[in-house]
């Protein structure tokens, strides 16, 4: 059978190509065999990489915003009222919560005991908070039955009672007071071993009693009223063991009125203050005299300045009637509102030196002492007080002027019946002087619990007849440090310095100084105190005085007690 295979030209060409490739491969493989001759060649040259230049494509994208036609639409709102009802509830008024009011106690008692057989007692009772009425009663006892080595009996006692009341009325504020003081001292300023005879304790005893009473009416301030007025009446009775008696009736009244006459002034005020005293003195004889003082003034203020212009009119009614006029001028400048103030002024006046005042300054006075009158023709003063930052308070002031008939204490013999003790009592001598006095006080708060105060006074006198300003220190200074931790524990340290003083002996018969003068050495007194508040009403305390145990003389011939302490407790209920 004969098979006929059709001829395909394309397939034939592919077949010829495959056969040719198969014939070439053996020769190509033979060419890859290694050549028997070989040689290594090392080429050394730095590598220099190269980058071909890039061609920037400058094709910027393009965006075609489609055009959209805003369709016109027409619409309407169908409004309809929906009935509603609302009933408001009761609202609670807003309230401001203030600081909690501390609890007050109606009664208070404090008592203690110390060395030198020293009891101490205080009692107070009073009303609680009330919108209209106040009332309080206070009693106090402090005595010492100890002695000072080598000196006479030095026992003393102080007793007092005070009653105060007040009432707020529609137009006035009324207050009244009643008080009684009884003080007992002994003139112990002598050395028994140096005496030729013994002195009974009763023969050197002093006793002073004071009875005081007073009332005061003050008008209340209101928006409608443009002024105020006041009226007060006081009575003081003083007597001693040796039949010395003083009566002092004091009338105080005055008014002030606020005007608005000058537009450029922030405030205008004029007024008058009146102070009148009637004295009845019973010594060897009876004496009556009076001092009446009136002070008319005008006070104006503009911004930080306040100026007071006035004059003091003083009438002395005695064996010789004398009329005095003194300047009353003062300028105040509020440098920092409510923080610092400068002030300066000129004043003067007439002062009564009563036996009650003398015995308060020096309880060892002679029974022969008499009252006197001192005049101040002028006294210039000035100063600054305020705050520096948040931690310091300052008060610096000075005064300089003249005083006529100024009293100074000097030593005289103590005389009782037939007893005479040299230089054991005090009388006064007088002189016309010019003076200046500088006072400075700085209080610094170191922290919330610790603060300290440094203060000092310097005095200088120019005498007319006396050699020295007797029993007047040239300088006094002190430092107080207080600690208070959360009103639970409190402590304090006090340092007090008194500069040099002088005294002299006076012959009471001739009123002539018989000595050139005595020196009273300066002294330092250091005291500490502590208080522990066990609970709100109950506290315990400890006070220690004169830690240096120096028997310094605070008056010539009269040394102080040595170190002494008082420990006790207080309770409120």
């Amino acid at each position: 059978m004969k098979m006929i295979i059709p001829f395909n030209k394309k397939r034939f060409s592919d077949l010829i190509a495959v056969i040719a490739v198969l014939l070439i491969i053996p020769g190509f493989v033979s060419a890859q065999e290694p050549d028997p001759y070989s040689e290594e060649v090392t080429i050394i040259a730095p590598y220099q990489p190269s980058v071909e230049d890039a061609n920037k494509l400058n094709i910027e994208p393009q965006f075609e915003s489609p055009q959209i036609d805003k369709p016109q639409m027409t619409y309407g709102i169908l409004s309809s009222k929906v009935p509603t009802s609302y009933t408001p509830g009761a609202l609670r008024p807003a309230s401001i919560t203030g600081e909690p009011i501390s609890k007050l106690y109606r009664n208070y008692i404090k008592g203690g005991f110390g060395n030198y057989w020293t009891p101490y007692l205080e009692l107070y009772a009073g009303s609680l908070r009330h919108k209209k009425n106040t009332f309080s009663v206070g009693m106090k006892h402090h005595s010492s039955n100890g002695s000072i080595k080598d000196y006479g009996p030095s026992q003393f006692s102080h007793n007092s009672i005070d009653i105060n009341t007040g009432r707020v009325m529609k137009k006035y504020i009324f207050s009244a007071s009643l008080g009684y003081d009884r003080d007992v001292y002994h003139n112990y300023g002598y050395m028994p071993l140096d005496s030729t005879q013994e002195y009974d304790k009763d023969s050197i005893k002093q006793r002073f009693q004071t009875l005081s009473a007073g009332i005061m009416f003050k008008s209340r301030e209101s928006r409608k009223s443009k002024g105020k007025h006041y009226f007060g009446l006081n009575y003081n009775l003083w007597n001693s063991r040796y039949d010395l008696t003083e009566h002092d009736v004091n009338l105080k009244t005055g008014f002030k009125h606020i005007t608005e006459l000058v537009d450029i002034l922030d405030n205008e005020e004029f007024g008058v203050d009146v102070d009148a005293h009637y004295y009845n003195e019973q010594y060897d004889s009876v004496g009556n005299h009076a001092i009446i003082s009136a002070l008319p003034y005008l006070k104006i203020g503009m911004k930080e300045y306040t100026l007071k212009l006035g004059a003091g009119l003083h009438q002395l009614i005695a064996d010789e009637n004398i009329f005095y006029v003194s300047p009353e001028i003062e300028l105040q400048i509020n440098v920092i509102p409510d923080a610092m103030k400068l002030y300066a002024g000129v004043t003067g006046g007439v002062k009564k030196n009563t036996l009650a005042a003398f015995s308060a300054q020096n309880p060892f006075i002679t029974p022969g002492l008499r009252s006197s009158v001192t005049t101040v023709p002028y006294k210039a003063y000035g100063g600054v007080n305020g705050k520096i930052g948040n931690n310091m308070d300052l008060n610096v002031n000075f005064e300089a002027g003249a005083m006529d008939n100024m009293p100074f204490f000097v030593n005289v013999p103590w005389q009782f019946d037939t007893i005479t003790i040299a230089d054991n009592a005090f009388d006064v001598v007088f002189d016309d002087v010019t003076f200046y006095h500088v006072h400075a006080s700085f209080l610094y708060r170191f922290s919330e619990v610790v603060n300290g105060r440094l203060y000092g006074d310097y005095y200088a006198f120019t005498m007319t007849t006396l050699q020295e300003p007797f029993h007047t220190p040239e300088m006094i200074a002190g430092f107080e440090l207080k600690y208070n931790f959360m009103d639970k524990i409190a402590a304090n340290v006090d340092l007090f310095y008194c500069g040099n003083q002088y005294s002299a002996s006076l012959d009471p018969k001739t009123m002539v100084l018989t000595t050139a003068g005595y020196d009273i050495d300066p002294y330092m007194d250091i005291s500490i105190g502590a208080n522990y508040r066990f609970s709100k009403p109950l506290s315990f305390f400890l006070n220690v005085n004169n830690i240096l145990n120096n028997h310094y003389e605070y008056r010539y011939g009269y040394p102080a007690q040595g170190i002494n302490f008082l420990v006790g407790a207080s309770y409120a209920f």
Side-chain angles (χ1 to χ4, degrees), residues 285-416:
S285 59
V286 178
N288 297 280
H289 61 277
I291 298 176
I292 303 173
S293 299
L295 172 60
Y297 68 89
L298 171 66
K299 183 186 292 186
I300 57 176
M302 183 174 65
K303 298 187 182 301
E304 65 271 21
Y305 299 95
T306 301
L307 177 64
K308 181 179 179 180
L309 301 173
L313 310 176
H314 314 281
Q315 178 65 57
L316 173 61
I317 303 174
D319 296 336
E320 181 181 359
N321 296 337
I322 303 175
F323 181 73
Y324 300 92
V325 178
S326 64
E328 296 292 339
I329 302 172
E330 184 178 87
L331 173 65
Q332 295 184 8
I333 305 175
N334 288 320
V335 180
I336 304 175
D338 300 324
M340 184 171 293
K341 178 179 69 176
L342 297 173
Y343 61 92
V346 182
T347 186
V350 180
K351 177 184 177 182
K352 173 70 173 181
N353 302 309
T354 64
L355 289 184
F358 279 143
S359 63
Q361 296 175 48
N362 188 339
F364 309 109
I365 57 176
T366 176
L369 181 60
R370 298 294 180 262
S371 64
S372 61
V373 175
T374 297
T375 60
V376 183
Y378 68 91
K379 182 177 72 173
Y381 63 91
V384 55
N385 58 48
K387 299 180 179 180
I388 299 179
N390 296 324
N391 297 324
M392 179 177 285
D393 297 345
L394 65 90
N395 181 14
V396 179
N397 59 69
F398 76 92
E399 56 183 12
M403 298 183 70
D404 295 339
N405 209 41
M406 182 177 180
F408 297 94
F409 287 105
V410 292
N411 290 77
V412 296
W414 170 260
Q415 295 178 335
F416 177 76

Side-chain angles (χ1 to χ4, degrees), residues 388 392-396 440-444 452-455 479:
I388 299 179
M392 179 177 285
D393 297 345
L394 65 90
N395 181 14
V396 179
S441 174
F442 302 92
L443 186 147
Y444 188 80
R453 175 176 173 260
L454 179 66
Y455 64 92
F479 177 71

Side-chain angles (χ1 to χ4, degrees), residues 55-310:
N55 296 322
K56 181 179 180 181
L57 299 178
N58 295 322
I59 300 175
E60 296 181 358
Q62 295 181 354
F63 176 76
E64 295 182 358
S65 300
Q67 184 69 27
I68 300 176
D69 295 331
K70 183 177 181 181
Q72 297 293 331
M73 301 182 67
T74 301
Y75 61 89
I77 297 176
L78 179 61
S79 60
S80 61
K81 182 178 180 181
V82 178
T84 60
S85 62
Y86 172 71
T87 302
L91 296 177
R92 187 175 183 180
S95 61
I96 300 176
T97 304
E99 296 183 0
I101 300 177
S102 59
K103 181 181 178 180
L104 295 182
Y105 295 93
R106 192 181 300 275
N107 305 286
Y108 175 81
I109 181 172
K110 181 177 182 180
F113 193 83
N115 61 336
Y116 290 97
W117 292 96
T118 304
Y120 181 87
L121 180 65
E122 286 185 59
L123 295 171
Y124 291 97
S127 59
L128 300 179
R129 292 185 182 92
H130 195 275
K131 293 182 178 181
K132 293 185 177 182
N133 302 315
T134 62
F135 180 80
S136 65
V137 178
M139 293 176 286
K140 182 178 180 180
H141 169 81
H142 183 208
S143 63
S144 177
N145 295 296
S147 60
I148 299 175
K149 185 179 180 180
D150 298 331
Y151 281 83
S154 59
Q155 293 85 353
F156 71 86
S157 68
H158 172 75
N159 298 275
S160 65
I161 180 171
D162 294 288
I163 303 174
N164 295 276
T165 185
R167 179 175 176 81
V168 178
M169 297 180 284
K170 185 176 181 181
K171 295 184 177 181
Y172 292 93
I173 299 175
F174 168 77
S175 61
S177 62
L178 179 67
Y180 172 75
D181 292 87
R182 185 180 186 272
D183 301 306
V184 176
Y185 298 91
H186 293 82
N187 285 40
Y188 65 91
Y190 67 96
M191 296 184 176
L193 295 178
D194 296 338
S195 302
T196 58
Q197 66 181 105
E198 293 185 2
Y199 304 113
D200 182 72
K201 184 172 68 174
D202 190 66
S203 65
I204 57 173
K205 183 178 179 180
Q206 295 263 33
R207 185 193 66 238
F208 308 116
Q209 298 182 94
T210 303
L211 176 65
S212 61
I215 59 172
M216 175 65 73
F217 289 89
K218 293 183 178 180
S219 63
R220 298 183 61 183
E221 294 184 357
S222 65
R223 296 180 179 180
K224 296 181 179 180
S225 65
K226 293 187 177 181
K228 291 183 63 177
H229 55 276
Y230 65 93
F231 172 84
L233 186 64
N234 296 281
Y235 170 73
N236 288 276
L237 167 65
W238 176 94
N239 72 0
S240 75
R241 184 188 180 196
Y242 302 100
D243 297 327
L244 305 177
T245 303
E246 284 184 338
H247 300 271
D248 177 10
V249 180
N250 177 216
L251 169 66
K252 289 186 176 182
T253 186
F255 74 92
K256 68 176 183 180
H257 185 74
I258 299 174
T259 63
E260 298 177 357
L261 301 177
V262 183
D263 294 337
I264 63 173
L265 298 177
D266 296 329
N267 57 74
E268 308 163 44
E269 174 188 320
F270 73 87
V272 178
D273 294 316
V274 177
D275 187 4
H277 287 265
Y278 167 75
Y279 301 98
N280 175 266
E281 303 167 344
Q282 300 175 13
Y283 311 133
D284 299 331
S285 59
V286 178
N288 297 280
H289 61 277
I291 298 176
I292 303 173
S293 299
L295 172 60
Y297 68 89
L298 171 66
K299 183 186 292 186
I300 57 176
M302 183 174 65
K303 298 187 182 301
E304 65 271 21
Y305 299 95
T306 301
L307 177 64
K308 181 179 179 180
L309 301 173

